[in-house]
Amino acid sequence: MKPDLFESPDYYNLDDLLSEEHKLVRDAARSWVKRAVSPIIEDYAQRAEFPNEIIAGLAEIGAFGPYIPEEYGGAGLDQISYGLIMQEIERGDSGVRSTASVQSSLVMYPIFAYGTEEQRKRFLPDLASGKKMGCFGLTEPDHGSNPGGMVTRFADKGDHYLLNGAKLWISNSPFADLAVVWAKNEEGRIHGLIVERGMEGFSTPETHNKWSLRASATGELIFDNVKVPKENLLPGKNGLGAPLGCLDSARYGIAWGAIGAAMDCYDTALRYAKERSQFGKPIASFQLQQKKLAEMITEITKAQLLAFRLGQLKNEGRATTAQISMAKRNNVDMALKIAREARQVLGGMGITGEYSIMRHMMNLESVITYEGTHDIHLLITGADITGISAFK
Ligand SMILES: Cc1cc2nc3c(=O)[nH]c(=O)nc-3n(C[C@H](O)[C@H](O)[C@H](O)COP(=O)(O)OP(=O)(O)OC[C@H]3O[C@@H](n4cnc5c(N)ncnc54)[C@H](O)[C@@H]3O)c2cc1C
């Protein structure tokens, strides 16, 4: 792969709106990605393997639990810092950002928000340091966009719960030490349970043959009469709103992360267009190529402003689920379109692993589908503005 020459576009001087802490956190993540992710990521993606060697570095830049309080091992940062970290990591690779998002917002967040003090102390510091890795089991083979239909169930057996069922498409599952699993009790109410590797009847087969998020491990969670200790139930919140609350936090991070992938594609295409000559002139001098590049920077700038304002609302505790849906949907769609256009600017070179664009493009096909599909987020906006749900 070519050396990482990334220069971040900031067309509307967004840096002026960031605090010194935001910039420090962002720059630390940026230089770590250049140093530790860019040189190795293409090779891992080609081999369809998760780079275990970057776990310690992710923990060091605060990517595991950026907004979880320091007393539990988190970085104690605000939501804009969290977003900036996700942006920088996804600039490197969406699969690496997925690992960080799952660990932070889908594993640490529910333990922090819905767990007991004992559960927080027992699990959060090891998750923050990367000593333990987690995954989040909501999606099932027959229930994706409609997680409320889930059939994974647990029964109260007096001194323990007995868990049965299966989850599909679970990021980090093949290597996770623990899983936050959403299952129905005997009354049909959804609860979160912490299932730990080594519990009898619990297995995590890997899903192979993905053309997308190849540097992220994806798999199943299978529960065959797993005895889960009663102290592993998350007591703080139940019902579908509990997992959806985690998704709000992860989707917010994705809204920022997708900007990173788009910035990388734009930056690569701009540099290439200025260096590559055809018909005796740089291809950047042709109007058709300028149109592509000008539209890319316009869309990136709009997405940056959307994410920044959402971050302010999130810091104030005012960001709604529907506002988060809008930003996730818009920014991922924007990034995918930019990846496709940027790929064309590079001509034939764009399809090779010499450049990051094709990898970003393939990754974004998952990002536009997971954490609520592009269609479902549109319907969430539709329901919010009309008061009528068109999808359930
Ligand atoms: C790489 C990857 C990693 C993932 N990681 C995780 C994870 O860590 N944990 C986890 O729990 N899940 C994870 N997922 C699952 C992901 O969240 C689901 O794939 C997603 O929610 C969509 O579900 P589905 O694939 O079953 O598609 P379906 O729900 O079957 O949808 C198929 C199509 O139908 C459309 N559709 C569905 N319902 C409606 C409707 N009412 N109106 C209009 N259109 C509709 C959808 O928009 C979509 O286009 C991951 C997925 C991928 C690909």
Side-chain angles (χ1 to χ4, degrees), residues 136-139 144-145 169-171 213 218 366 369-371 373 375-376 379 391:
F136 174 90
L138 180 65
T139 305
S145 298
W169 294 120
I170 307 306
S171 303
L213 290 192
T218 313
S366 285
T369 292
Y370 70 21
E371 302 265 359
T373 68
D375 294 337
I376 293 294
L379 297 177
F391 64 100

